[in-house]
Amino acid sequence: MGHQVIIFDFSVIRGLWETRVKKNKERQKKEKERLEKSALEKIKQEWNFILECRKKGIPQSKYLKNGFVDINEKNLDTYGKTPQLKKSRALPDEVNKEKNKFIFQLSGEQWTELPDSLKEQTYLKEWHVYNTLIQTIPAYIALFQDLRVLELSKNQINHLPAEIGCLKNLKVLNVSFNNLKSVPPELGDCENLEKLDLSGNMEITELPFELSNLKQLTFVDVSANKFHSIPICVLRMSNLQWLDISSNRLTDLPEDIDRLDELQTLLLQKNKLTYLPRALVNMPKLSLLVVSGDDLVEMPTAICESTTGLKFVSLKDSPVETIVCEDTEEIIENEREREQVEKEFMKAYIEDLMERESTPSYTTKVMLSLQL
């Protein structure tokens, strides 16, 4: 039987979640300290030492004393070679150092453009640029043919260059919470793209049809924009598993939404939906559906009574205080910040909900008289 959770207040629940997260972090810290003090690390060290001694043919009498392992590196030095134990300890650092050679990271409001030296590092596989004042991505990005991850969240980027379509190996593109108003059709040439995050740009109204070519996409987040309908190209993304189009201006859903037969999570809250199409019932893998809105007056009964394990969450919207401000940009920035906070909360809430394989009967329906 399906489960419906109706929530009326995010602010109180957010407080509960923050307390819960804090306690969880404290537990993790204590567990880490416990493991560090436990004998596990010592046993692992002794075992590695014994293996190395055996490889070198060192007799047990040399490294065992009264049945206990004597981790004395002099035993290994006697045989004229550097202890493997030292090498094994150094190996993770060497691996991390080698890996970091292919990752570019940049943050801080002192940056208004990318450094010139970046164009020489075309071997990079990942860019992580966030919380800067950078507004443009240079055309020379086309030279980075090995790029796999392009994380550009929380900057001031106002457009993406057409050259981004040259990144044939790109798997992750995150340009959330920037100032984008459109997406170049050339992005459809990134045939190996698996994750696309355009959330929080506030002004995107449509996606180019060319994005229909992105058949490897499994995750699309276009929340907190100005979409009036689900883009046609999204309905043709045959492997899509996660779609977040919350906080937009949707008034209805397409009747052929069940084309997304691989979709598992559909987030629709904070739109202007008046009804939900019955086609949602025909989506075999849909396991989480989140909606909201005081305008929502009609939905298929089968959604709430689904026997497929669908978790249906209905979030009631409440009027949000309008901030009186002469500066339009400041209003948009306040909205963007609020969306960021709400997305963090929803992410934590959904992760917890998805972890529940079953809900006890006495919590099948939860009613909380609280205010968003």
Side-chain angles (χ1 to χ4, degrees):
M1 185 173 180
H3 315 301
Q4 181 173 8
V5 181
I6 302 179
I7 298 177
F8 288 79
D9 184 6
F10 272 104
S11 59
V12 174
I13 297 176
R14 185 182 297 121
L16 295 174
W17 263 96
E18 289 174 350
T19 302
R20 182 173 176 179
V21 169
K22 184 178 180 181
K23 289 182 179 179
N24 186 52
K25 287 183 177 179
E26 290 176 354
R27 283 197 298 270
Q28 289 178 342
K29 183 179 179 181
K30 289 180 181 179
E31 179 66 13
K32 184 179 179 181
E33 292 175 351
R34 184 187 69 79
L35 288 174
E36 288 176 350
K37 294 179 181 179
S38 71
L40 292 175
E41 192 63 32
K42 184 178 179 182
I43 292 173
K44 181 180 178 182
Q45 188 177 6
E46 289 178 351
W47 181 246
N48 287 335
F49 187 84
I50 291 172
L51 287 177
E52 184 59 24
C53 287
R54 287 179 178 176
K55 285 180 182 178
K56 295 184 176 182
I58 301 176
Q60 289 188 7
S61 58
K62 294 292 184 180
Y63 59 84
L64 287 181
K65 290 186 178 180
N66 299 323
F68 294 97
V69 178
D70 178 21
I71 304 179
N72 189 337
E73 294 179 357
K74 290 182 180 179
N75 290 329
L76 296 177
D77 291 338
T78 303
Y79 285 78
K81 291 187 178 180
T82 304
Q84 183 67 23
L85 197 58
K86 282 186 176 180
K87 291 183 179 179
S88 64
R89 288 173 180 169
L91 188 59
D93 292 335
E94 292 175 1
V95 171
N96 290 333
K97 186 176 180 181
E98 185 67 22
K99 182 180 178 182
N100 288 336
K101 288 181 181 179
F102 299 96
I103 299 176
F104 172 71
Q105 297 188 40
L106 189 71
S107 65
E109 295 186 353
Q110 71 272 22
W111 295 99
T112 57
E113 58 183 21
L114 294 170
D116 290 337
S117 58
L118 180 60
K119 66 178 68 173
E120 308 299 330
Q121 303 176 52
T122 56
Y123 55 84
L124 290 172
K125 295 183 178 180
E126 297 184 17
W127 283 18
H128 297 271
V129 181
Y130 54 93
N131 288 327
T132 73
L133 298 180
I134 293 173
Q135 296 184 16
T136 59
I137 301 301
Y140 65 68
I141 194 173
L143 301 175
F144 291 76
Q145 290 297 300
D146 292 329
L147 206 59
R148 303 289 194 278
V149 176
L150 191 53
E151 292 272 359
L152 305 170
S153 62
K154 300 178 184 178
N155 298 291
Q156 300 296 319
I157 299 170
N158 50 43
H159 81 280
L160 294 175
E163 286 77 8
I164 198 169
C166 298
L167 305 179
K168 303 298 183 182
N169 293 308
L170 191 65
K171 292 183 178 295
V172 177
L173 175 60
N174 182 353
V175 280
S176 60
F177 295 96
N178 280 280
N179 296 321
L180 294 178
K181 293 184 179 181
S182 63
V183 177
E186 288 80 6
L187 182 60
D189 295 331
C190 298
E191 54 193 26
N192 289 303
L193 197 64
E194 297 175 0
K195 179 178 179 180
L196 176 61
D197 192 342
L198 299 167
S199 62
N201 281 281
M202 312 301 287
E203 297 292 332
I204 302 177
T205 60
E206 188 53 88
L207 295 180
F209 183 78
E210 286 79 1
L211 269 58
S212 301
N213 298 326
L214 303 178
K215 302 301 184 182
Q216 301 303 316
L217 268 179
T218 60
F219 178 103
V220 171
D221 188 344
V222 290
S223 61
N225 280 291
K226 291 184 178 179
F227 288 93
H228 288 83
S229 61
I230 296 180
I232 295 176
C233 63
V234 172
L235 295 174
R236 284 163 171 73
M237 295 173 181
S238 54
N239 283 311
L240 199 60
Q241 298 175 15
W242 176 294
L243 175 59
D244 187 349
I245 194 167
S246 60
S247 299
N248 276 279
R249 298 180 177 182
L250 302 187
T251 55
D252 57 21
L253 297 179
E255 292 296 334
D256 60 343
I257 192 172
D258 51 1
R259 292 174 58 126
L260 300 173
D261 52 10
E262 294 294 322
L263 197 66
Q264 300 174 15
T265 301
L266 178 57
L267 308 183
L268 299 168
Q269 69 272 17
K270 296 181 68 177
N271 278 290
K272 299 295 182 181
L273 296 171
T274 57
Y275 74 97
L276 298 179
R278 185 172 178 78
L280 291 171
V281 182
N282 302 327
M283 301 173 72
K285 296 189 178 180
L286 187 63
S287 58
L288 178 61
L289 172 64
V290 182
V291 298
S292 73
D294 298 326
D295 299 324
L296 191 61
V297 296
E298 182 181 345
M299 65 182 70
T301 306
I303 290 180
C304 299
E305 298 179 351
S306 172
T307 58
T308 61
L310 173 65
K311 294 178 181 177
F312 171 68
V313 182
S314 176
L315 306 175
K316 289 294 184 181
D317 287 339
S318 298
V320 179
E321 258 184 56
T322 302
I323 301 173
V324 179
C325 179
E326 295 180 0
D327 192 343
T328 305
E329 290 186 2
E330 187 174 339
I331 294 176
I332 293 175
E333 192 59 35
N334 288 333
E335 290 180 359
R336 185 176 280 116
E337 290 177 2
R338 178 166 52 82
E339 289 292 346
Q340 288 183 28
V341 173
E342 290 185 4
K343 279 191 73 67
E344 287 299 318
F345 165 72
M346 281 302 298
K347 180 182 178 182
Y349 177 71
I350 289 172
E351 284 178 355
D352 178 73
L353 191 63
M354 294 292 279
E355 286 175 1
R356 304 180 204 170
E357 294 183 0
S358 61
T359 305
S361 59
Y362 58 83
T363 60
T364 298
K365 191 172 184 179
V366 180
M367 301 290 288
L368 302 176
S369 295
L370 307 170
Q371 177 106 17
L372 176 60

